[in-house]
Amino acid sequence: MIALDKIITDIKTSLDLQESRLDYKESKRRLSELDSLVEDSELWNSPHKAQSLMKERTNLLDCLTGYESLLQDFNDNVELLEISQLEKDEEVQREVKEALISLREQCANQELLSLLSGESDDNDTYLEVHSGAGGTEAQDWALMLLRMYTRWADSKGYKIDYIEENPGDEAGLKSATVQIKGHQAYGWLKLESGVHRLVRISPFDSNSRRHTSFASISIYPVIDDHIEIDINPADLRIDTYRASGAGGQHVNTTDSAVRITHVPSNIVVQCQNDRSQHRNKDTAMKMLRAKIYEAELSKKLEVTQSIHDNKSDNGWGHQIRSYVLQPYQMIKDLRTATETSDTVGVLNGKIDIFLSSALAQLS
């Protein structure tokens, strides 16, 4: 019974935490308000506003329904347990214990999802990868990281759009930018910004020596058009150039790629995925607005792990995760101490263990 009491205590603690994070009473009030707003026929005269409100309502309803369902299941099982104890029905008690063990796991998962309640956590996200110290070895590592994240995104059913790609001199990538489209894509990945360190026997070294190389990941949310970001055109430097990556003959022979530099912040974005210079510029401006917005969010939140520091060195002393393939197999997150020996699985996209532990540390 001591073990059962511990399970019940764990579930109760988790439910209390979820209620607090959800701000249950205020969320119920807001849901009622949204119900009234979406029933107003005039709302649909403004499709963008209507879609935004519907999205907010759907997300809020999902959170409330998830919490209320867990709470109801918990109360039902506790009540059934009390009855079975009075009647000394050991078989029912065993069934209730199994149900509560399952419920505790569900509560842990829901508790993790409750951490994805930031202003932009529900949004799509941009992901940038840049090779760092290590030459060709680092450029190959950048490609491996990009593959890791795109395979993770595929496993979640997310869609991936390639925005920009700058191939390495001999192999891999110097840099690349992708947009990952899916519910809570930014929320899940927002703490992945930082430098990732790889230790392995280099496939590019004829002497088969062990090399250390670095690549950085930057994560920032795709923001809605209704969020106003004041950008002075005089603060922008816009350059066009020929795309150096894949994209077809037209892309590679015309100055269709666009690079925009926001001079005051030194934020640089670029896009080359379209044959049209105009559309590439439009995409680049959206990325710039998103980066400026993310930088402002980071200042307000003052959460070191989620800050995208454009001035950090892409090398020793700035890494958030270490991937050791030689002389042993180990991947370790240096912020949470979470580690695994399943290096093949992680590099094939099984990174939830690291995403979850980083998010849990915010609580």
Side-chain angles (χ1 to χ4, degrees), residues 50-66:
Q51 291 172 5
S52 178
L53 289 176
M54 286 298 295
K55 179 180 178 181
E56 180 184 356
R57 181 185 178 278
T58 298
N59 293 339
L60 188 56
L61 182 60
D62 288 345
C63 291
L64 286 168
T65 301

Side-chain angles (χ1 to χ4, degrees), residues 240-259:
T240 59
Y241 60 99
R242 290 187 180 183
S244 56
Q249 182 178 3
H250 179 81
V251 170
N252 290 317
T253 57
T254 64
D255 293 340
S256 59
V258 175
R259 180 186 298 110

Side-chain angles (χ1 to χ4, degrees), residues 231 236 260 262 267 269 284-292:
I231 299 177
L236 302 180
I260 301 178
H262 185 246
I267 291 176
V269 295
M285 282 300 299
K286 290 179 179 178
M287 294 167 61
L288 179 62
R289 291 174 66 244
K291 271 199 169 185
I292 293 174

